[in-house]
Amino acid sequence: MSNLFSLRSSHTALVDALREERASALLQAVGVVGFALLTAIAAQVQFRVYLWEVPITLQTAAVYASGLYLGWRNGLLAQALYLTLGLFLPVFAGDGYGAGYLFGVASAGYLLSYPFAAAVIGALSKRWKAFSGSTLASMVGGALIFVCGVVWLHYAAGHGTWMESIDKGFLRFAVIDLVKVLGVGLLYSGTRYLARDGA
């Protein structure tokens, strides 16, 4: 039972090579580009609820995964590359792209926080590689995304109160995002277990 709540994993895995700074430049580049494209694909899986200012997407799941699999530096680079792609290509959840769209959309706070959230998750999960640790790391990254998102949404949407912004920018998504965190944590732990050294 103690292992269930342990933050650290007792084994190493082949997949950990993705997040090693001494990994080959090619492997790191493939990881960065791959997770940037994964985030772009996840953005297209969206559900829009009538009168909700922020759509439900799988983007944050890709952000959590990039931090866990790539580590702080390459996770940050992957999400920075995703935002850069959005300056030239329609990779965001909405129909637009470009700097005007990125900084003008109500959900810009969430988007702009992605590189930093991935970096935080990557830094925390450097040692917290067990399911509990990776889940906790993703929750911290998710909290950063929501804080930045709600603050931006409050001013961009002109909400009358902070409670309105918290409701529309966080509370409506809390359970959905928790499911994403747990799902990514299970996926990460599962791949580390299956690809463990000596397996």
Side-chain angles (χ1 to χ4, degrees):
M1 182 63 73
S2 61
N3 288 338
L4 181 63
F5 297 102
S6 175
L7 297 177
R8 300 188 180 191
S9 173
S10 60
H11 68 270
T12 58
L14 297 175
V15 73
D16 293 340
L18 277 172
R19 57 183 296 140
E20 293 293 334
E21 294 186 4
R22 62 177 178 272
S24 70
L26 177 61
L27 181 61
Q28 293 188 57
V30 168
V32 168
V33 173
F35 273 92
L37 295 177
L38 178 64
T39 308
I41 293 169
Q44 308 314 308
V45 182
Q46 58 182 288
F47 306 92
R48 292 190 176 272
V49 182
Y50 181 63
L51 294 181
W52 282 29
E53 291 154 340
V54 180
I56 300 169
T57 73
L58 292 181
Q59 280 172 296
T60 50
V63 175
Y64 303 150
S66 67
L68 293 176
Y69 283 98
L70 300 181
W72 78 267
R73 185 186 65 184
N74 289 340
L76 183 151
L77 290 175
Q79 295 307 313
L81 176 58
Y82 167 67
L83 295 182
T84 302
L85 289 174
L87 297 178
F88 307 98
L89 300 168
V91 297
F92 299 137
D95 297 327
Y97 60 94
Y101 180 84
L102 174 59
F103 293 101
V105 72
S107 58
Y110 301 93
L111 293 169
L112 295 172
S113 71
Y114 287 175
F116 306 104
V120 167
I121 294 167
L124 292 176
S125 63
K126 182 175 183 179
R127 294 186 179 179
W128 296 356
K129 293 181 181 177
F131 171 71
S132 296
S134 59
T135 299
L136 181 59
S138 294
M139 290 179 70
V140 173
L144 175 60
I145 291 172
F146 278 112
V147 167
C148 295
V150 167
V151 170
W152 188 288
L153 179 66
H154 179 75
Y155 293 105
H159 291 160
T161 66
W162 279 103
M163 194 60 230
E164 181 183 2
S165 299
I166 293 170
D167 171 41
K168 293 182 176 180
F170 169 63
L171 295 179
R172 299 181 184 187
F173 300 92
V175 173
I176 297 168
D177 207 69
L178 180 59
V179 171
K180 294 180 196 175
V181 166
L182 294 174
V184 172
L186 285 171
L187 178 65
Y188 178 65
S189 298
T191 53
R192 288 196 75 253
Y193 179 79
L194 292 175
R196 65 192 184 280
D197 288 343

